[in-house]
Amino acid sequence: VKTEDDPRLPRVLLIGDSISMGYTVPVRERLKGKANVHRIPANGGPTSRGVANLDHWLGDGNWDLIHFNWGIHDLKHMPDGTRQVEPADYEENLRRLVEKLRETGAVLIWASTTPIPDPPLKPERTFGDETEYNQIAASVMEGLGIPINDLHAGISPRFAELHRPQDLHFTAEGSEAL
């Protein structure tokens, strides 16, 4: 859904994967009348997709705040046993993405990667440890002075209740909580 901007309000951009797709509508509702909340038009996927598409996603918009996350797709296991984006490349990609995001002049807020349930998952897939990738991202963001919205810590106490069974996605209540 395209957001019609109220020119009197700040412009917010959400960048992330399908987890952020789930919380976009609740964020828009909570910030109605306070901010114009936009979201990238696709799943942000791994950091490699972000590096390839960020200029397009940023467009020519003047963003006041950008809330962003990459991680779940990066740590996904591939058929050969590697992760879609290995940890060293994840860190390098994050640094490149932050450099590009800073060029917008927007306030930046990093969102940590949410928990991943134990397998089996539907569709069948496996992941590395999100804690490892969250630590890498936290180190990058703290080193660059970017505040962290710790979605992982915030949802963890109620994760079993708020995520869909055998799925890393959340119920409507879970998306609202995020």
Side-chain angles (χ1 to χ4, degrees):
V1 177
K2 186 159 172 62
T3 298
E4 289 296 322
D5 278 344
D6 177 337
R8 300 168 295 166
L9 300 177
R11 298 183 80 233
V12 173
L13 178 63
L14 303 178
I15 299 175
D17 54 31
S18 55
I19 304 302
S20 72
M21 293 166 85
Y23 61 69
T24 296
V25 170
V27 169
R28 281 185 178 144
E29 290 170 0
R30 287 188 181 181
L31 295 179
K32 188 173 185 167
K34 297 176 184 171
N36 300 302
V37 178
H38 296 260
R39 189 186 182 290
I40 61 171
N43 186 318
T47 52
S48 53
R49 184 178 301 159
V51 168
N53 291 286
L54 191 59
D55 286 333
H56 171 70
W57 293 338
L58 292 172
D60 58 4
N62 293 316
W63 304 109
D64 296 293
L65 185 140
I66 300 173
H67 183 271
F68 65 106
N69 163 270
W70 283 276
I72 284 177
H73 289 271
D74 295 271
L75 57 93
K76 182 174 121 181
H77 287 131
M78 303 308 287
D80 67 1
T82 63
R83 287 171 280 193
Q84 188 158 336
V85 177
E86 291 292 340
D89 295 326
Y90 178 67
E91 179 177 351
E92 181 182 331
N93 288 347
L94 284 177
R95 291 184 185 285
R96 290 176 64 191
L97 289 160
V98 168
E99 183 178 324
K100 178 61 78 173
L101 290 169
R102 281 195 158 155
E103 291 174 7
T104 67
V107 171
L108 303 179
I109 299 174
W110 168 255
S112 64
T113 296
T114 54
I116 297 173
D118 294 329
L121 298 177
K122 294 181 183 174
E124 190 174 319
R125 55 200 163 171
T126 63
F127 295 86
D129 180 9
E130 79 275 3
T131 304
E132 175 186 11
Y133 281 63
N134 276 336
Q135 289 171 344
I136 292 166
S139 177
V140 169
M141 301 309 153
E142 289 167 3
L144 296 172
I146 296 171
I148 298 171
N149 179 8
D150 195 348
L151 297 179
H152 189 280
I155 203 75
S156 287
R158 296 181 61 202
F159 182 67
E161 166 195 353
L162 296 176
H163 84 90
R164 296 180 190 158
Q166 295 184 298
D167 195 338
L168 52 89
H169 297 98
F170 293 87
T171 63
E173 185 182 358
S175 290
E176 185 73 38
L178 288 168

